[in-house]
Amino acid sequence: MLSQAVLAGASGQVRNMATTAGNLLQRTRCFYFRDTATPCNKREPGSGCSALDGYNRIHAVLGTSAHCIATHPSDMAVALVALDARVRVVGPAGERVVSLGALHRLPGDRPDRETTLEPGELIIAVDVPPLAFASRSLYLKVRDRASFAFALASAAVAVDVRDGTVRDARIALGGVGTKPWRAAGAEEALRGRRAGRDAYRAAADAALAGAVPRAHNAFKIELAKRTLVRALLRLESR
Amino acid sequence: MGTVISQVTTVDVELRINATTRQLALDPRTTLLDALREHLDLTGTKKGCDHGQCGACTVHVNGRRVLSCLTLAVAAQGKDITTIEGVADGDQLHPMQQAFLDHDGFQCGYCTSGQIMSALALLREPCGASDDEVRECMSGNLCRCGAYSNIIAAIQDVRATHAHEA
Amino acid sequence: MTSPNEPRTTGAVGAPINRVDGRLKVTGAARYSAEIPVDDLAYGVIVQSTIARGTIDRIDAGEAEQLPGVIAVMTPRNAPKLESLQKFEREGSKGSRPTGRALSLLQNDSVHYNGQPIALVIAESIEVAMHAASLVRTTYRVDQPTIDMATALPSAYPSTEKIYGREPPATQRGDLQAGLAAADVRLDVVYTTPMETHNPMEMHATIAAWDGDKLTLWDATQNVHGVRGTIAKTLSIPPEQVRVISHFIGGAFGGKGSAWSHVVLAALAAREVRRPVKLVLTRRQMFGPVGGRPHTVQHVTLGAARDGTLTALRHDSTSSTSTIEEWVEAATLATRILYDCPNEETSHRLVRLNVGTPTFMRAPGEASGMFALESALDELSYELRMDPIALRLKNYAEADPESGKPWSSKSLRQCYALGAERFGWARRTAEPRSMRDGDQLVGLGMATATYPVRRMPASADACIYPDGRAVIKAGSHDLGTGTYTILTQLAADALGIPLGCIRVELGDTDLPQNPISAGSMTVASTGSAVHLAAMAAREKLIQLAVTDPRSPLHVAQHGAVEIAGGRLTLHGDVDRGESIEELLARNGGQPIEGRADAKPGDETQVYSMHAFGSIFAELRVDPDLGTVRVGRLVGAYAAGRILNPKTARSQLMGGITFGMGMALMEHTITDLRSGRYVNADIAEYHIPVHADVPGIEVFFVDEHDEHVDPIGAKGLGEIGMTGVAAAIANAVFHATGVRVRDLPITLDKLL
């Protein structure tokens, strides 16, 4: 799933210039964050969020706040958060390890603070712990054109199925969250159930349970569910 | 090493481009793309967006395709840079250039340098054999004239007959 | 057609030769406007408004001016006043506007759209200029803008100006209500198309350099003579003092057909700072200040008899324009001529929004209008349970139904047949959702393509030199369209000189006057001029030979002399003759010059002239995810004589690809509160990438048309674009049963 996620991101030339840490820390594609002529709480704290009542088709439905609905754009980070990756960080206070899930912050009332990194800290490595059943995993990305576009929804999935029953699962979503979105609720909903469309749909419903749509992005809730179901079905048919 | 010319602070930069070393005094914010186009008169590398979104500025740095608009010139020092001007062997076109000509793989020609630089790099990348796989590998190079089908034909032609020369 | 001495073809025309400028392009040696080496250049960067409507209250360039390397900052406070514009306004803004388009030239404090140029920074480098531009501080008195087409629709008013100065804004034939009353089946639907942005790969760019009172502009334009006229009028200087050069253009698509604000600003800035100024727009600045395709809301009403015969057709289009200029998207022109419906009404209305003024964008009018019309025909075909091609054939127009004139040529029937055959239309099962490939829904759809043949006066020089080489001069342009190549081919055949011995010079106002390269009219206009100029030179050459006592061809019958491969010979006796070099050397070594000032004749009074085609799409829709992947696009076209099948095919493929973008992804989004162009870059304004574009197949129907122009060729720049959006929308309906009447067809509309 990790290699699929990496290859789904950007273009060959961009990937050649990219770094792992740079990918994790990339800034949002929110139109209003990029356009310095418009208010943005992430860029200028307290200036307001233009996306809330603006054009928000590409924006997040999970992890949003009244101050920011910007989507985290990474594909790779979605796969890494599903795989429980750990980020090694060095700073003035020495070296520490942060789980990827704890690296990015939810926007809350301080969307300008995107990560839990302290000033002066530098990412030096990302460790991906072994996960036996990750050999059966995949990353599925849905976007507005066939390539070189950010995800409208994506799903990174790894499932451990024995005798038709899901023993364990790792699920994360992209394109819909304000951070790389680990769908723990979906994993919980799958564990112990018979693998199959019904269980997958239940997991998808659980994954998007807390979703909050805005004017133009409500479709992402259903799209993300279907993307997750499709990813799980495709994995099953492997 | 910083000097001030016309009140603008510059740094000395040495770039190795198409096997020739060039010395420049540049505003440290100068991208490799602007260094090529505005300071070295190497205008074959094109600016289509300046934001890494179109691929027109694709060059090779140490043999890999990268975007010169997202590369600072100072950061390209000590590396081997190849631009479209360094692809032909004198008057002898590279087979990829000839294939673009023969397959009409361009119209206005503005994305062409980037397409060719990408296509050349692709010969050394683990890209699959099918047309669809080549399309995916080339998707970072936008073409508004719509020469895509002919570009793929040109690349596949070269891959079939000249892959060993890459 | 043109001369008693029409050359027997040497085969250059019609041959699929490689582009003659291709080597320059694949080596990076072709120089585009921003790439001309000019000494002592200064760099200009435009500062744009951040509100859509209001007045500049204060503009503070102090900090920018203090930045080392900044030469000047031009704002409405200090920009030179233009007498031409002041006069225009004094006279109540009547008459022709000196600037052509309504430009933003820092003459006043008014803001009419978000992103309007409000200042220009000139500095020693791009880096400094960009930095300084970010330091210009502006405050405004803000007025409420009108941005939303939907809510502004009630303010729509009928367009009264003739479209393109020729076509009536509204038409009526027969009795629409009677036609509707007589119909067995009626359809009444609204289609919408969004604003779109040209986004050629090359940004607009101008280098302006003054030498005394003479101005040279290296400008990314598809209209050098037009830009010269506009600049001269705007600056109140004689046109002879302005030279505009545009040798290579990195795509234009209509957007580079006008002299927009930055061109004039570059000229003004260069005059102010007494240095050449290079002004290249950023990609973001391509959204708004340099035009785009307007939003349309199109109401189509159809009535038909059970057998498919159209009894009524109404097509009303409302399009957006700016608050400072009227621009009509001529969406119903194709409707007027396409089907033989006796009762028909068309109209165009306008809504004024606080957006940049729209302009020509590839197949302006036809692209958006035929999405509506050809979608409506498809909807009708399902209502009638009739094959979409059969429905179109049922209403085939044997003569122009609007004017009653005969066609100069029309091979649409053959285009349907050839396209259907090559595409495999017969395998289509009519029912929606009836075709599948695994879990994917398969859709097959088609539409008609058409574009008018237009021609304008054009001049050309053909010069044969004593070394046997020839130079063709015409102030036209090659936008990637192949103009350099096809003119070389036309000249080669007319002159009897090998392709490699001919050089074509374009894109310079020092060359003979030519029209804008747009509207698919370069071949008919400039091609005809070059053909006639070359024929004139040929005549002179033959005249010289037959009157030269020392020539082997002395006293030969004029019409019996042939020229091929640079040799003049007697027909039927190839040994009797001599080379052009020999003939000219003996006669003083002077070049032979031919000149043609070509213009349309009365053929437009007699004939209706259009190119036609058919376009077929096969695609797969994911029933769960809504993603559309186009697998095949097949087009069959009849466009008169095809001068170069290789470049012609490419141009059509390009149009089809552009149409695919229109169908599936292109959409210039404005924030409905602020009027900001929201997706003003080419990561978020989606155009097709390699992975989107399937195999595109283009076929030609042989067509001989001796009426359109002296070379029998119709243009190909736009027709490839027409019908594509409808063919794809129709295929999406066939695949899914979902009729999307609102472009683009993004996946959220199919969930």
Side-chain angles (χ1 to χ4, degrees), chain C residues 678-713:
Chain C
V678 168
N679 59 339
D681 62 48
I682 45 174
E684 299 296 346
Y685 182 97
H686 290 139
I687 65 170
V689 299
H690 272 285
D692 290 298
V693 179
I696 297 176
E697 298 158 59
V698 169
F699 301 97
F700 294 105
V701 169
D702 282 338
E703 185 173 72
H704 180 74
D705 189 327
E706 58 187 33
H707 306 300
V708 277
D709 54 54
I711 55 177

Side-chain angles (χ1 to χ4, degrees), chain C residues 28 31 264 280 290 377 395 448 450 480-481 491 605 653:
Chain C
R31 294 256 177 187
V264 183
V280 182
V290 291
L377 262 284
N395 295 284
T448 307
T450 188
T481 44
Q605 307 303 312
M653 283 171 42

